[in-house]
Amino acid sequence: MSIALRRVRDYLELVRFSHTLFALPFALMGAALAAWGPDGVRGRARDWLGILLCMATARSAAMAFNRLVDRDVDAGNPRTVGRHLPRGAMTPAAVALFTLVCAVGFVASTLLFLPNPWPLRLSAPVLLWLLGYSYTKRFTSLAHFWLGASLGLAPIAAWIALRGDVAWPPVWLGLAVLCWVSGFDLIYACQDADYDRGAGLNSVPARLGVAGALRLAAVCHALMLPALIALGVSYPLGPIYYAGVLAAAVLLLYEHSLVRPNDLDRVNTAFFHVNVLISTGLLTVTAVDLVV
């Protein structure tokens, strides 16, 4: 493998680019809802390209910044000590430059939506919110919900990009994503409960214990379902969509069956595989429902 290809792979691994599958389907779902209407499908090819570029660059900037801010924390955690910065595979300067390039790329990508000015106007506040997540565990146990709100912005932002306004359907979808992401991040954070507590970091598992965090995660995922139903009613959507919501509920139950307070061995299965099925599945049934 050439040095250039190896470096590209390192950056993709740094930001866990495969995890874009969590938020991107919901951004596209928000865009599909915004685009579909009695007058046909709205949105230029450049608008859809802008949504993809904004998602990729914003998420990459936020993830790289998180790795940069947390490099000392990661170095002390046995689970994360093998990440690029702690093991010396990348320098802080290189990651900082990559963060800057992605941030500039995000703002530049919003120009594709012109003459709609709102994506450009909102780009800086959104970016600051996304980057701010990296500091939240220093002062609040609500970091999981900050992350949930960050990903929940995706469908709302996609709607604004295509329509230039805000309505209840993307808000309900954003709330559903907030509950969903907060819930699975609570599950994932259970792996670091002892370390966070010892390092003085704030997290729900460190504060409430693993059992308490898993119960709160279940509440979050239960609240996702009425938000999805409210989306279906407010848009409105049909039976194919509601069948997808039912399937998502079954998958959430399965996700919680994989983890126990004394058995976190299958956290990664619950975190990645099940949640990718939920996000891509809901996008698929929504698209089919709109077309049919």
Side-chain angles (χ1 to χ4, degrees), residues 10-17 19 59-61 63-64 98:
D10 285 341
Y11 280 113
L12 291 176
E13 291 176 349
L14 174 77
V15 300
R16 304 296 294 271
F17 193 76
H19 287 191
R59 186 189 174 281
S60 295
M63 282 293 296
F98 179 74

Side-chain angles (χ1 to χ4, degrees), residues 37 50 90 121 153 162 166 174 222 226 237 245 281 288:
M90 287 183 172
R121 290 173 180 172
L153 289 173
L162 265 63
V166 179
L237 293 165
V245 173
V288 172

Side-chain angles (χ1 to χ4, degrees), residues 232-233 236-247 282 285-286 288-290 292:
V233 172
L237 293 165
I240 295 175
Y241 169 77
Y242 288 110
V245 173
L246 178 60
L282 284 171
V285 296
T286 300
V288 172
D289 194 284
L290 289 172
V292 173

